[in-house]
Amino acid sequence: MIPLSHFMLISAVLFCIGLYAVLTKRNAIQVLIGIEFMINAAILNFVAFGQFDKIKGGGQMFALFAIVLAAAGVAVALAIILNVYKHFRTIDPAKIDTLKD
Amino acid sequence: MKILNFSADTLCLLTIIAIVFPFLSFLMIILGKQYKKSTISIFNISISFISSLLIFSNLWNGEVVHQQVEWFSVGSYVFSAGFLLNNLSVLMMVLVSGISLLVHVYSTAYMKGDENIHKYWAYLGLFCFSMMALVVADSLLLIYMFWELVGFSSFLLIGFWFTKAAASQAAKKAFIMNRIGDIGFLTGMMIIYAQFGTFDIVKLFGNGGLIDSASIVDGMWISASAEMSVIWLSLAGFAFFMGTMAKSAQFPLHTWLPDAMEGPTSVSSLIHAATMVAAGVFLLGRIYPLFDSLVLNIITVIGIFTAFMGATIALTQNDIKRILAYSTISQLGFMVAAMGIGAYGESIFHLATHAFFKCLLFLAAGAVIHQLHYHKKQHNLEFDHQDIRLMGGLRKQMPIAFITMSIAAAALAGFPFTSGFLSKDAILITSFEWAEGYNGFKKLVPYIFMLTSWITVFYIARLIFRVFFGKPRYEGIKEASSVMNRVLVVLAFCSLFLLFSFNPFSFDGSWILHGFVSSGVKRFSVLHVIIPEIVTITSIVIVFMAYRIYGSGATKTFPENGLIYRFSNRAWYFDTAYRFLFVRPVESISRFSYKFDKLIVDGLVNLLAVGVDILSGISDWFDRNIIDGFVNGISSFARKTGDFTRQFQSGKLQHYLVTMLTVVIAIFILTYFI
Amino acid sequence: MGPEQIVFYFFAALTLISAFLVVYIQNLVRSIFLFFITIFSLAAMFVFALADFIAVTQVVIYVGGVLVLMLFAFMLSNRELLSGLQQVRGGFKLGHLVGLLICTGLFFLLYSAISSVDIVNLPWIKESQPIRQNDNTIHQIGINTMTLYLLPFEVVSVFLMMALIGAAHLARKEKNS
């Protein structure tokens, strides 16, 4: 058996990488990819802990739901990015600052 | 004889009228528009003359009228003003107003066409007013006031044609020299006031007055109220004499009078021949009791010296008016010296006769000048119309001027049948009688008088022969206007003996002398006959000599170079000496002061300005940088804080995330590890 | 260390390296393809966690759905969007540093949390029944879906429908464009 802590570590690294992508990327799609990384790290974590739940299988179930929701989220996010581009003519999140003070 | 019998009050009113009317003509003309006609002035001066005549007829040898009112007071000192009408005053009143009237009439013709004539009438009115007031004033303070005013009017009138540089310079010179004399007058006044506590002439100089009752004990001059060293008595006398020296053009303050000839001739005749310059002698008459023997000697010496000097200078002058000016100086010297030797009455007598014949000499010269000037303008010629070397033969062209001027010249020379004969011989004989009692220098005085009289004869003969005799130089010179001629004739009559004495040869019958304190020397002596004879014969000889040199024949000519000639021609180099001694130093002091002022005083002021400028620069810097900087600093701090915090609301998604995560992670880290 | 450990570590390294490269590489297309590799290696790791159905679902949905969607959306967009997307600039910026700091901070936090736990001796792990390798998870998942997790299931399907309609509406073409 792979120790749980390995899974958790990998998931932590993946999450941090995804967070880095969200925080620093100048392209909305890359931000989206970063969000996907974070969600995937969470799914990995779910699954890792789900090893220990045979009766209810909660870990795996929620991993399933999470995958589905992530996909839906990506679809909607892409539609939003399209609209943002139509409006602002750019998809650089650093350039979209009309809500600033 | 009294024309009408007036009461004392009426007499006071008449006096006031006599004084005030000429002043009205000054006011009327200054305040109103430019009134060029002479009517008002002549009317005013006639009123003045008539009033003076009335007063004279009432008061000559009559009782003395003295009225005064309280004028002002300073603390416990009270000063009063009023007038004193004694023989001297009323004689002077008639003299001044009479001659002023004649000169007014003459001026209507002489000054005709001058564009500033309205000012001329005004200044003449001012002068007449001040002179009339001067002769009746009863307080030394009032005399001083009008003394100054007379000097001021003289300044205005000398500089009447002020656009000519020489005229305004002459006016300044006259005024400044008179000022020097006035310092003396003021000093005398101060000494008198310190010693006696009053300025009143009657109290001071009257019979048994304060000066008479003051005594000299052990070298101290003691009066009723104070005492001081006896030197102050002499100083007071000399100080007053300084005023006379300036006003009556005695040595050394005489150089203004020849230059004053820049004014119109009518002015010269009135002011600088007959009346104003006589004011000095008048003052001596008023304060006569003050003089002690030292001052009287000084007066005599200066008077006789001036008489001699004036006569010698007049010998070589070529400007007709300058000859007459130096002649005036010389005759004034006669009068002053006569005062000095105690011939009080004779001096005043000569003052009266001199007023008429000198005025006539000037007015006749004025007629000649006027006609020559007119001739010059008409024919567009260029020559000095006052130079006697360029005149000649005018006796045929201007007969009336010739006759009247010759009568006046005879009076000046002292020929019989003229008034001048009477007065001059009075002085001469009295001087001989006075000198009998003394030895040494004083013996010389009468002989210098005689010598001066002979020189007088010579120069005036020279003038007459040069101007009127010989071949006529210019064609077409006409007689002067009838107005001028009538005035000349009136004055000529007054220069004859008739006005002054019924006896043409003896001055004892003169009514003027009877009005004044006699000199107290023997009257009937052999001198009374010898001296007039000697003088007259020598005068005739001199006239003949002059005729030979200057008249038609012109056989002999005087050398016109040579030391003595030049010395006389340049007026004994007095002007040069004064310029070197006084004018140059004052000018260099003035230049130095100017430079000092510019450099140091202005420099200091500029430095101050620079200092203030620097100070203001510092405070500006301070204000702008530190005070404003402080305020601005606060506001910029607020702005920077705002700007800083505003950055957190950048509208950028990722920034918000960063902020959030920073805080959350920081909280977790802090919570778990601290 | 047995063979399965090595394979696990290999897949783990693959995941992490490709994830890192996704973030590091500027080019968008290449990063999407690397994302693709990340998904696959992640699915492999699911298998090691004895969640085989999840792994396959991951591949199907993510690769076949999400990645394809992104690729299509990216490729089939008009030229302006493409040229706009290519505007990526390199260089080391303050933002990158801050992001790096935060990520390392977070990682540090997580790592310390993970390493402070003694997994094996946790009470609930001792009492738990772990999944065996031979278990039929699919069977279990099916039953659980319809009984225990029915509500979330229904909600998710409604949610999917909403997402569908929403995305379709958002991405519509305007009449007057």
Side-chain angles (χ1 to χ4, degrees):
Chain A
M1 288 269 293
I2 317 291
L4 190 57
S5 60
H6 288 41
F7 280 106
M8 284 168 75
L9 249 154
I10 293 169
S11 125
V13 175
L14 197 60
F15 187 83
C16 289
I17 291 174
L19 187 62
Y20 179 77
V22 167
L23 291 182
T24 58
K25 284 299 174 183
R26 300 294 292 271
N27 195 334
I29 295 186
Q30 282 175 335
V31 169
L32 199 58
I33 290 175
I35 295 175
E36 290 307 308
F37 275 153
M38 293 201 289
I39 295 178
N40 272 308
I43 292 171
L44 180 61
N45 226 8
F46 266 130
V47 162
F49 275 94
Q51 288 174 77
F52 299 101
D53 189 6
K54 183 172 170 170
I55 308 163
K56 288 198 188 157
Q60 297 194 2
M61 288 309 297
F62 275 106
L64 211 60
F65 289 136
I67 289 171
V68 168
L69 291 172
V74 163
V76 175
L78 278 173
I80 290 176
I81 288 175
L82 202 70
N83 266 353
V84 162
Y85 179 75
K86 263 197 262 178
H87 194 273
F88 290 101
R89 304 251 59 102
T90 179
I91 56 170
D92 184 353
K95 290 216 168 53
I96 301 169
D97 56 357
T98 52
L99 280 182
K100 78 170 176 178
D101 191 5
Chain B
M1 63 197 165
K2 289 195 181 178
I3 299 179
L4 291 160
N5 207 343
F6 289 119
S7 68
D9 293 332
T10 331
L11 287 169
C12 297
L13 182 65
L14 280 176
T15 317
I16 294 178
I17 289 177
I19 296 173
V20 165
F21 265 72
F23 186 66
L24 285 181
S25 84
F26 171 72
L27 277 183
M28 244 184 262
I29 290 167
I30 284 288
L31 296 176
K33 55 184 188 347
Q34 295 178 349
Y35 188 76
K36 295 207 193 292
K37 289 222 283 257
S38 60
T39 3
I40 292 188
S41 304
I42 292 189
F43 175 71
N44 285 338
I45 196 68
S46 320
I47 300 268
S48 184
F49 179 58
I50 293 172
S51 321
S52 310
L53 271 179
L54 289 173
I55 297 172
F56 178 80
S57 71
N58 256 290
L59 288 184
W60 177 254
N61 278 335
E63 86 243 28
V64 171
V65 171
H66 180 209
Q67 296 273 8
Q68 66 181 172
V69 293
E70 189 186 301
W71 184 15
F72 65 92
S73 58
V74 176
S76 60
Y77 300 103
V78 174
F79 297 98
S80 54
F83 34 76
L84 167 67
L85 300 172
N86 62 5
N87 280 350
L88 183 58
S89 318
V90 302
L91 176 66
M92 290 298 291
M93 273 176 82
V94 171
L95 195 68
V96 168
S97 53
I99 294 195
S100 300
L101 176 60
L102 289 169
V103 169
H104 270 79
V105 173
Y106 181 89
S107 305
T108 53
Y110 187 76
M111 300 290 287
K112 194 157 147 168
D114 192 308
E115 60 190 6
N116 283 327
I117 201 170
H118 55 286
K119 281 198 233 170
Y120 179 80
W121 296 125
Y123 297 154
L124 264 188
L126 180 67
F127 170 76
C128 294
F129 156 70
S130 7
M131 193 69 203
M132 295 291 279
L134 192 150
V135 300
V136 302
D138 81 327
S139 149
L140 279 177
L141 195 59
L142 274 181
I143 291 186
Y144 182 68
M145 234 174 74
F146 291 110
W147 184 271
E148 295 269 8
L149 210 54
V150 163
F152 178 60
S153 331
S154 159
F155 164 80
L156 288 172
L157 284 163
I158 295 174
F160 184 68
W161 291 316
F162 58 84
T163 46
K164 221 168 112 185
S168 58
Q169 290 280 67
K172 268 192 287 184
K173 184 172 178 176
F175 193 71
I176 291 175
M177 284 193 127
N178 265 293
R179 259 348 228 143
I180 298 176
D182 293 342
I183 295 173
F185 196 140
L186 204 55
T187 313
M189 269 170 67
M190 291 196 278
I191 296 176
I192 293 260
Y193 196 80
Q195 180 72 347
F196 297 106
T198 176
F199 283 128
D200 193 309
I201 289 184
V202 173
K203 282 210 202 96
L204 284 169
F205 302 108
N207 282 329
L210 288 170
I211 294 210
D212 283 340
S213 60
S215 51
I216 301 177
V217 173
D218 288 333
M220 291 296 281
W221 184 25
I222 299 175
S223 79
S225 49
E227 62 180 48
M228 45 177 83
S229 164
V230 73
I231 191 72
W232 288 106
L233 175 60
S234 312
L235 275 176
F238 183 69
F240 278 112
F241 183 58
M242 249 175 84
T244 301
M245 275 201 287
K247 197 62 107 195
S248 297
Q250 300 299 298
F251 168 80
L253 297 172
H254 64 280
T255 50
W256 63 271
L257 190 52
D259 288 344
M261 296 299 121
E262 296 288 340
T265 312
S266 39
V267 163
S268 306
S269 75
L270 177 61
I271 297 185
H272 305 124
T275 43
M276 190 186 86
V277 294
V281 181
F282 168 79
L283 180 73
L284 289 182
R286 271 277 196 246
I287 63 171
Y288 196 73
L290 180 63
F291 300 128
D292 65 350
S293 56
L294 173 66
V295 178
L296 285 174
N297 286 342
I298 295 176
I299 292 178
T300 312
V301 167
I302 289 183
I304 199 85
F305 179 74
T306 311
F308 180 69
M309 176 191 78
T312 51
I313 296 177
L315 275 178
T316 54
Q317 295 300 308
N318 292 317
D319 184 318
I320 195 173
K321 283 176 77 174
R322 281 198 172 230
I323 296 178
L324 295 176
Y326 283 107
S327 164
T328 310
I329 294 179
S330 175
Q331 295 299 306
L332 286 169
F334 261 93
M335 289 180 228
V336 165
M339 278 281 179
I341 67 176
Y344 179 97
E346 286 82 352
S347 175
I348 302 289
F349 186 24
H350 193 60
L351 190 153
T353 57
H354 173 266
F356 287 112
F357 64 69
K358 194 44 77 62
C359 181
L360 173 57
L361 275 173
F362 267 106
L363 292 184
V368 167
I369 292 170
H370 187 260
Q371 291 311 106
L372 279 176
H373 187 69
Y374 177 68
H375 179 80
K376 202 167 94 162
K377 278 270 149 55
Q378 253 202 333
H379 294 96
N380 238 340
L381 297 169
E382 275 301 318
F383 61 93
D384 183 5
H385 53 276
Q386 291 183 273
D387 194 333
I388 61 171
R389 296 173 292 189
L390 300 176
M391 302 180 197
L394 284 172
R395 78 168 187 282
K396 297 212 181 70
Q397 291 168 319
M398 297 176 68
I400 297 187
F402 166 59
I403 295 173
T404 47
M405 199 161 186
S406 309
I407 294 178
L412 177 60
F415 278 111
F417 291 103
T418 60
S419 59
F421 169 75
L422 294 168
S423 61
K424 184 178 282 196
D425 272 5
I427 296 180
L428 217 49
I429 294 170
T430 315
S431 71
F432 272 103
E433 287 170 352
W434 170 81
E436 271 181 26
Y438 297 97
N439 288 314
F441 170 69
K442 295 194 185 164
K443 269 264 194 258
L444 273 178
V445 166
Y447 293 105
I448 301 180
F449 266 130
M450 270 205 342
L451 183 61
T452 313
S453 317
W454 288 334
I455 299 177
T456 310
V457 174
F458 190 79
Y459 70 65
I460 201 66
R462 167 177 176 254
L463 186 142
I464 296 286
F465 290 139
R466 273 283 186 168
V467 173
F468 291 108
F469 284 78
K471 276 207 306 276
R473 216 180 260 262
Y474 310 104
E475 295 296 322
I477 305 246
K478 291 198 285 275
E479 184 71 77
S481 77
S482 58
V483 171
M484 286 199 220
N485 283 339
R486 275 185 225 142
V487 170
L488 293 178
V489 166
V490 169
L491 280 172
F493 175 72
C494 295
S495 305
L496 295 172
F497 69 96
L498 287 166
L499 197 60
F500 293 98
S501 165
F502 288 122
N503 185 346
F505 295 107
S506 164
F507 60 85
D508 295 326
S510 161
W511 52 269
I512 290 190
L513 274 185
H514 284 265
F516 293 106
V517 176
S518 76
S519 52
V521 283
K522 300 200 299 282
R523 290 227 156 259
F524 288 97
S525 78
V526 66
L527 286 170
H528 280 244
V529 179
I530 295 182
I531 291 176
E533 279 176 10
I534 298 176
V535 169
T536 314
I537 292 171
T538 25
S539 308
I540 295 177
V541 169
I542 290 174
V543 168
F544 188 62
M545 268 169 56
Y547 183 76
R548 288 293 294 277
I549 298 174
Y550 296 111
S552 319
T555 48
K556 286 201 246 172
T557 44
F558 254 111
E560 293 215 335
N561 33 19
L563 192 64
I564 299 185
Y565 178 83
R566 263 184 290 137
F567 193 64
S568 155
N569 197 13
R570 299 261 184 279
W572 289 30
Y573 292 107
F574 272 120
D575 273 321
T576 346
Y578 285 163
R579 184 169 315 126
F580 185 71
L581 283 173
F582 299 112
V583 176
R584 288 248 175 88
V586 170
E587 276 180 357
S588 59
I589 288 178
S590 131
R591 267 197 297 275
F592 169 73
S593 313
Y594 170 72
K595 286 212 188 87
F596 181 82
D597 180 51
K598 218 162 135 66
L599 192 63
I600 295 181
V601 176
D602 276 1
L604 277 174
V605 172
N606 286 349
L607 218 68
L608 198 69
V610 165
V612 170
D613 200 24
I614 292 177
L615 204 67
S616 89
I618 289 179
S619 71
D620 171 57
W621 176 89
F622 186 81
D623 179 53
R624 191 165 317 130
N625 289 352
I626 293 180
I627 295 180
D628 278 0
F630 176 67
V631 173
N632 286 351
I634 291 182
S635 82
S636 75
F637 174 73
R639 184 182 311 122
K640 286 202 181 96
T641 315
D643 280 348
F644 176 70
T645 46
R646 188 201 292 170
Q647 282 167 10
F648 291 117
Q649 294 284 343
S650 63
K652 296 180 187 161
L653 177 68
Q654 285 159 327
H655 290 184
Y656 292 165
L657 281 173
V658 163
T659 321
M660 253 171 20
L661 284 169
T662 314
V663 173
V664 167
I665 290 172
I667 288 179
F668 269 109
I669 289 179
L670 288 172
T671 324
Y672 274 127
F673 297 105
I674 299 175
Chain C
M1 214 170 18
E4 59 177 40
Q5 310 262 36
I6 298 173
V7 177
F8 174 74
Y9 287 139
F10 167 73
F11 275 114
L14 194 63
T15 310
L16 293 178
I17 289 171
S18 60
F20 174 71
L21 283 176
V22 165
V23 169
Y24 186 70
I25 288 184
Q26 311 283 1
N27 195 342
L28 184 61
V29 183
R30 293 198 187 153
S31 62
I32 294 181
F33 277 110
L34 282 163
F35 183 42
F36 177 66
I37 294 176
T38 312
I39 303 297
F40 264 115
S41 35
L42 216 63
M45 283 206 290
F46 287 167
V47 171
F48 275 100
L50 305 175
D52 44 355
F53 179 66
I54 307 301
V56 173
T57 313
Q58 162 103 330
V59 171
V60 166
I61 292 182
Y62 259 99
V63 174
V66 172
L67 266 174
V68 169
L69 175 65
M70 285 168 102
L71 270 174
F72 275 156
F74 175 65
M75 298 289 194
L76 297 181
S77 317
N78 46 11
R79 202 140 286 266
E80 287 124 33
L81 187 60
L82 274 177
S83 62
L85 289 176
Q86 293 293 6
Q87 284 173 23
V88 281
R89 284 182 298 115
F92 197 66
K93 291 241 182 78
L94 180 68
H96 294 200
L97 183 65
V98 169
L100 202 63
L101 269 169
I102 290 178
C103 294
T104 44
L106 183 60
F107 177 68
F108 170 70
L109 201 65
L110 292 170
Y111 177 77
S112 60
I114 292 170
S115 59
S116 69
V117 173
D118 187 14
I119 305 274
V120 184
N121 296 324
L122 274 176
W124 62 272
I125 290 205
K126 279 199 189 130
E127 293 161 7
S128 69
Q129 255 191 323
I131 300 177
R132 304 260 185 255
Q133 281 150 338
N134 299 327
D135 284 341
N136 192 353
T137 54
I138 297 175
H139 177 75
Q140 200 60 26
I141 285 172
I143 292 176
N144 280 337
T145 306
M146 287 303 154
T147 56
L148 268 177
Y149 301 102
L150 183 62
L151 183 59
F153 175 69
E154 295 299 332
V155 169
V156 162
S157 45
V158 170
F159 176 75
L160 273 175
M161 185 182 71
M162 271 166 39
L164 179 73
I165 295 172
H169 175 72
L170 275 176
R172 77 188 183 284
K173 227 176 173 67
E174 294 289 332
K175 286 282 163 33
N176 47 348
S177 62

